[in-house]
Each structure stands twice: as C-alpha cells, then as structure tokens.
Amino acid sequence: MSALRPLDKLPGLNTATILLVGTEDALLQQLADSMLKADCTSELKVHLARSLPLPCSVNRPRIDLIVFVVNLHSKLSLQSVEESLCHLDAAFFLGKVAFLATGAGRDSHCSIHRNTVVKLAHTYRSPLLFCDLEIEDFRAAMAQRLVRLLQICAGHVPGVSALNLLSLMRGSENPSLEDL
Amino acid sequence: MDETLAEFFRRTILKIPMTEMMTILKTWNFMSENQLQTVNFRQRKESIVQDLVLLCEENHASLNDAAHLDIIYTQFHRHQKIWDVFQMSKAPGDDIDLFDMEQFKSSFKKILQRALKNVTVSFRDAEENSVWIRIAWGTQYKKPNQYKPAYVVYYSQTPYAFTSSSRLKSNLPLLGQALTVASKHHQIVKMDLRSRYLDSLKAIVFKQYNQSFETHNCTTSLQEGSLGLDINMDSRIIHENKVEKERVQRVTQEIFGDYPQPRLEFAQYKLETKFKSDLNGGILAEREEPLRCLVKFSSPHLLEALKSLAPAGIADAPLSPLLTCIPNKGKNYFKIRDK
C-alpha cells in the first residue's frame, strides 16, 4: 500500500476521476449521485473510499481530485481523515486536494470545532468548503461546484490548471490564518 | 349512578380523541348499536360526552364498566405509558400447576382487597392469553383513586408481567406479591428493562424478535439486497473499500440479524469504575473512589439506530457488546463496575 501519486498514470480519454474520502458512506454516496446528475461534458468517475491508503489490488484510473469529507458531528471522521492524509503524495497538494466540512448547520450537534478543520485545511494548503450535505439543494450546488473543480484538475478547462485553484484559499471574506 | 361515577365516565370519555371514539365505544360493547345511533356525533365534544354519560346512566353502568372503558383506552394508547417488566420464578421443587385464568383473577383480587380494603381491580382479557389488569389504589381509610390507576399486563403461564410505571411506589411490593401468589410463582424481580413499546418488550423477553434464526442461511441471498449492497449500481461510482464494507455488513448482520429490531427508546449505563487515562497523573488518577458517570443513549428507535451505526461509518464494527447485548440480556439499564 504505497502513497497515492497524482501523475503516475496517463489520463483516460475525456475522463475525470474524483476520489471522495470520508467515513460516512451514505453521505459520500449521495454526493456522488448528485455529482453524476450535474451537467458535465467530461466523463465522470467517482471513487468512494473510507480512508487512505487505498487497497492496491484494484486497477484504477488516474485520480484528478481528492476531496476529504469531514462530518463536524463525528470525531471519528476527522480522525480518519487526518490519518489518511499521511498516505498522500505531496504533489497532490498543488491544487488537487480539497476539504469539505459538513454539518455546520446544526451547531448543537457539532463535536468538532469549525476552527479545527480550518486549521487542518490550512496546514495542508488546500481549500476548505462548507456544505450541509444532508440538505438536497445544498448538496446539488456543492456537487456542481466539485464537478467544475474536477474538470479543471483534469485539465479539461483550457487556460486554467489545478494550481490556480489554490487561489480559492485566499477569499476576500476569509483572510487566511497567516494574515490574521 | 352517583355523582363521582358519572364524573369518572365523563372524564374517561373526554380523553378519547374524536377520531377513535367510535372504535373504542364499539370495542367497549356496552352500548347497543341503536343507542349509539341516537347520539349526534357532529356536535361539540362536551355535548357528545354529555349524551354518552346519559346513555351510561340509562344502562345502569357500574364502576367496573367504567374501568373497562379506561382499560380499552389504555390499550389503544399503550405507547403513552412507560412499561416495566417483572420476572417471576418458581421455587426449585415446585410442580408445574395447571393454570386457570379465573382462579388467577380471583386470587389476585382477593390478595389486594385483603391488604388494602379499598381497591378497584378490573380485568380485561386480551390477545394471546393475556389479561390486562387495572388497579385503582386506595388505603384502609380512603376510597380508591380512579384517576391514577396502575396497569398490569400478564401473559398467562409465563413468568413475565408488564406494569405501567406508577407514582405510587409504596404499593409495588404488594402488587408483586399478588402477582407471584396468583400465578403460583415463588419470587418476583424487576428487570432493568423499560420502554414505551409494550409489544417490543414482549418480543424481547419472549425472544420473538429474531425468530427465523434457524433459517438464517436460506435467506442469505435475500438479505444482501435488503441490507447489504443496497448501493445503486451506477458503474461510474466505484467503492474502493468494498471488502471492508462487506465485512461491516456481515458483522452487523451476525449481531443484529436481518429482521426489524424491537423498539426501545433509551439505554442507560451507570459507570462506577476507577478513572483510567493514558496520560498518567492528574488528580483523578489517584482517587480511590470510583468515578461516577451516567451515559444515556436515546433515539426514537434505539436498536435500529445502533444497527445502522457501523454501516453508516459512524462507528467501527463490531460495536461494543455492551450496546449489542440489550435484546439478548433483556436489559436497557446497566451498571458497570470494576472487576
């Protein structure tokens, strides 16, 4: 079980592959369904994993974008994501990793503070998205957004590359931790 | 019919929701079809109740009839009460006696009446050889209070009785005694099992919740569709941890079976253990006395919730036996001490 590398395989023709990593299977499944419903010219492939490293027995295509899903209601999900991150090649962090935190809407259920994930995403220099995946409309919007990111990461959008996505980190509303 | 009895009728009928009025009155079977037809059910509830009480008076209704109506109402609304379970046992040398329901009823009633003098005991036979007992408690010097009765459900020839939790704790020993003697048992203990759902409690103590255990293997193909791989088969979605997923499903299946779980809404764990911590030191580590703490799980359907924890990825499979042993042990109140 070796670390996953971003560019060790040739891309499939017009194929974009995303890997969703998170402990909560039902949420990932729903998000995957929404993504496949979204309008997209590329051929999408969605891989779902509980944690990294991935089992090495399977022959899988090149992975263009990895999204770590953290449920703020479950410490297990954060812990598992933190452990998974060690099994990732550093080159992925050049724009091909994103964090997605769900469950912030119901504050009373949260067992992870929002700042914890903000710090985590910042440590790994990767964008952090917030979305309540349990609400269908929000999920659909997030799916659309992820599809767009994925297309960029897969190189299907002329003129923009995954590296540009790092600009997502410095939103005007959320100055990065260093700026504070 | 005296004033208090009329009032008791009035209040009992008043608490029946209008949508169930007809069904309950028909189950009660005290008023004839013709009599019921004379009542105009399209007026205000107060007036309907007034008419019904008049009909009761006409039929010379007794306190026992009112108690019956109250039992029927409770049977319809059994989920509004919290039920306790009592388990009885026979003495080692005891013979198996023939059980006679009439004898049970009369001796049960006699024991309570002898001790309290003022007590109303009413019975109503129900499904599966069970009997519902309603007890309105009084004392030597006080008339029974009809508005705070206790309900007991006893399944004949079984060692189990279910009682609605009542506020009158002082009468509990007497009730236990009456049950043991009347059902010819020797001892009675209260189990650590409570729920709103009488039928689920019954399923747990009579071990009815996973009945097709023997046919377990034959249903393997069937369950895979229902519990296991219910993920949709879109070829564009690839599950990387399929093996792990299947293991979780299998383990869950083995522990919970593939039938609907009995319904409980809470489980409580009282910990009286010494404080343990990976980080040594701290003021708690040196304490001699146990650290007391109470963990309470609640859910509209606790066992189904526990069952779906591991497949949903919220907990690791297998779950702690403390959580999974609830139906097996017939217990949802636990006390945990150091060994």
Side-chain angles (χ1 to χ4, degrees):
Chain A
M1 298 225 191
S2 56
L4 206 56
R5 289 171 196 288
L7 296 169
D8 59 347
K9 278 180 191 151
L10 289 173
L13 186 64
N14 199 30
T15 312
T17 309
I18 188 171
L19 173 65
L20 302 177
V21 183
T23 47
E24 275 163 53
D25 206 52
L27 282 181
L28 296 192
Q29 179 76 40
Q30 286 173 332
L31 182 60
D33 285 335
S34 309
M35 282 184 73
L36 292 175
K37 273 185 212 139
D39 209 19
C40 171
T41 49
S42 316
E43 204 172 294
L44 292 185
K45 275 205 177 342
V46 186
H47 284 240
L48 308 180
R50 210 182 131 77
S51 58
L52 297 183
L54 301 177
C56 49
S57 53
V58 202
N59 187 26
R60 66 179 66 83
R62 192 178 85 176
I63 285 167
D64 301 302
L65 174 63
I66 300 180
V67 178
F68 290 99
V69 182
V70 179
N71 185 352
L72 295 181
H73 301 173
S74 150
K75 279 195 172 147
L76 182 73
S77 85
L78 178 71
Q79 195 190 338
S80 153
V81 164
E82 282 174 329
E83 280 162 18
S84 299
L85 280 162
C86 315
H87 302 277
L88 211 53
D89 189 80
F92 259 112
F93 296 104
L94 297 171
K96 296 198 170 204
V97 171
F99 292 91
L100 174 57
T102 174
R106 280 192 289 172
D107 222 8
S108 58
H109 287 62
C110 287
S111 54
I112 304 170
H113 199 276
R114 228 173 301 176
N115 252 353
T116 318
V117 269
V118 171
K119 269 188 195 140
L120 176 75
H122 189 258
T123 314
Y124 286 92
R125 313 278 149 172
S126 299
L128 169 66
L129 309 166
F130 279 98
C131 170
D132 250 321
L133 291 179
E134 280 170 36
I135 298 164
E136 204 184 342
D137 293 346
F138 293 176
R139 191 170 63 232
M142 180 48 71
Q144 204 125 40
R145 198 167 173 194
L146 287 180
V147 167
R148 190 73 186 150
L149 288 180
L150 174 60
Q151 282 185 295
I152 293 171
C153 288
H156 295 181
V157 181
V160 199
S161 85
L163 273 176
N164 295 91
L165 292 180
L166 291 180
S167 64
L168 278 176
M169 287 189 64
R170 22 181 78 245
S172 52
E173 306 147 52
N174 313 310
S176 73
L177 287 181
E178 275 166 344
D179 299 342
L180 283 175
Chain B
M1 195 156 81
D2 66 4
E3 203 51 37
T4 45
L5 183 56
E7 178 63 17
F8 180 40
F9 264 111
R10 214 179 65 78
R11 290 208 206 172
T12 311
I13 301 172
L14 206 54
K15 64 183 177 182
I16 305 174
M18 269 324 283
T19 45
E20 293 168 3
M21 188 66 86
M22 243 350 196
T23 342
I24 288 183
L25 288 178
K26 278 189 178 147
T27 318
W28 188 29
N29 202 15
F30 180 68
M31 295 166 194
S32 67
E33 197 76 27
N34 292 338
Q35 275 180 319
L36 281 178
Q37 267 163 14
T38 59
V39 181
N40 175 14
F41 280 93
R42 288 173 194 285
Q43 48 186 344
R44 277 176 54 225
K45 197 174 180 185
E46 283 77 17
S47 327
I48 300 173
V49 172
Q50 201 65 48
D51 291 352
L52 288 169
V53 172
L54 282 178
L55 277 181
C56 293
E57 211 147 344
E58 218 172 89
N59 287 8
H60 305 291
S62 66
L63 181 59
N64 201 36
D65 296 315
H68 266 174
L69 180 62
D70 189 43
I71 293 180
I72 293 167
Y73 170 81
T74 311
Q75 284 176 327
F76 272 76
H77 294 266
R78 51 181 85 176
H79 302 328
Q80 286 173 356
K81 302 229 172 291
I82 292 183
W83 297 90
D84 281 315
V85 187
F86 284 85
Q87 185 176 28
M88 295 177 280
S89 52
K90 287 205 192 283
D94 255 1
D95 295 336
I96 302 156
D97 289 307
L98 285 174
F99 181 85
D100 179 37
M101 191 53 110
E102 292 315 312
Q103 207 184 332
F104 168 82
K105 287 179 187 171
S106 75
S107 93
F108 184 87
K109 198 168 180 172
K110 225 179 276 163
I111 293 164
L112 289 186
Q113 277 173 341
R114 208 179 294 145
L116 295 171
K117 219 171 105 204
N118 281 314
V119 67
T120 317
V121 185
S122 328
F123 301 92
R124 184 179 150 82
D125 294 323
E127 76 287 345
E128 295 179 60
N129 289 328
S130 66
V131 58
W132 281 64
I133 312 167
R134 177 186 181 277
I135 306 150
W137 302 101
T139 60
Q140 294 273 4
Y141 316 102
K142 238 168 78 187
K143 285 253 169 265
N145 180 354
Q146 298 297 342
Y147 299 104
K148 279 176 190 159
Y151 300 90
V152 180
V153 184
Y154 174 66
Y155 285 81
S156 65
Q157 289 169 301
T158 67
Y160 295 103
F162 306 87
T163 67
S164 69
S165 301
S166 93
R167 269 161 290 179
L168 289 166
K169 294 266 182 289
S170 53
N171 287 325
L172 215 55
L174 182 62
L175 176 62
Q177 194 191 349
L179 273 171
T180 15
V181 174
S183 64
K184 294 175 186 157
H185 282 86
H186 182 67
Q187 222 182 7
I188 188 162
V189 279
K190 189 171 161 195
M191 292 172 75
D192 297 320
L193 182 64
R194 307 173 85 190
S195 169
R196 280 181 194 284
Y197 300 95
L198 188 60
D199 302 325
S200 296
L201 289 178
K202 196 187 103 202
I204 289 174
V205 297
F206 294 152
K207 308 265 177 224
Q208 291 167 334
Y209 55 91
N210 212 350
Q211 270 194 328
S212 8
F213 192 69
E214 296 82 10
T215 57
H216 191 72
N217 291 330
C218 325
T219 52
T220 333
S221 53
L222 188 143
Q223 32 157 297
E224 237 153 70
S226 64
L227 211 178
L229 310 163
D230 54 346
I231 37 175
N232 74 348
M233 286 302 162
D234 195 318
S235 63
R236 291 175 294 174
I237 299 179
I238 298 108
H239 286 266
E240 293 279 356
N241 306 103
K242 213 166 220 162
V243 182
E244 168 66 10
K245 228 176 124 96
E246 273 161 14
R247 184 191 71 88
V248 170
Q249 297 289 7
R250 206 184 50 243
V251 171
T252 307
Q253 187 97 59
E254 275 164 15
I255 294 170
F256 289 97
D258 29 38
Y259 292 88
Q261 300 291 310
R263 197 159 177 185
L264 297 176
E265 60 290 324
F266 37 76
Q268 184 176 300
Y269 298 83
K270 219 179 221 167
L271 272 69
E272 290 187 4
T273 52
K274 276 205 76 176
F275 183 77
K276 286 192 196 97
S277 162
D278 298 335
L279 314 158
N280 44 7
I283 39 167
L284 286 172
E286 286 149 28
R287 269 170 60 112
E288 277 303 308
E289 317 89 276
L291 182 82
R292 279 170 234 280
C293 98
L294 185 76
V295 184
K296 211 168 178 176
F297 293 85
S298 63
S299 153
H301 203 327
L302 185 78
L303 293 175
E304 282 294 342
L306 291 178
K307 186 179 176 180
S308 55
L309 274 183
I314 298 169
D316 276 330
L319 291 178
S320 152
L322 273 174
L323 290 174
T324 53
C325 72
I326 292 170
N328 247 332
K329 283 203 172 155
K331 205 172 172 186
N332 62 353
Y333 282 74
F334 293 84
K335 216 174 228 175
I336 301 161
R337 291 206 184 84
D338 277 322
K339 272 173 202 153

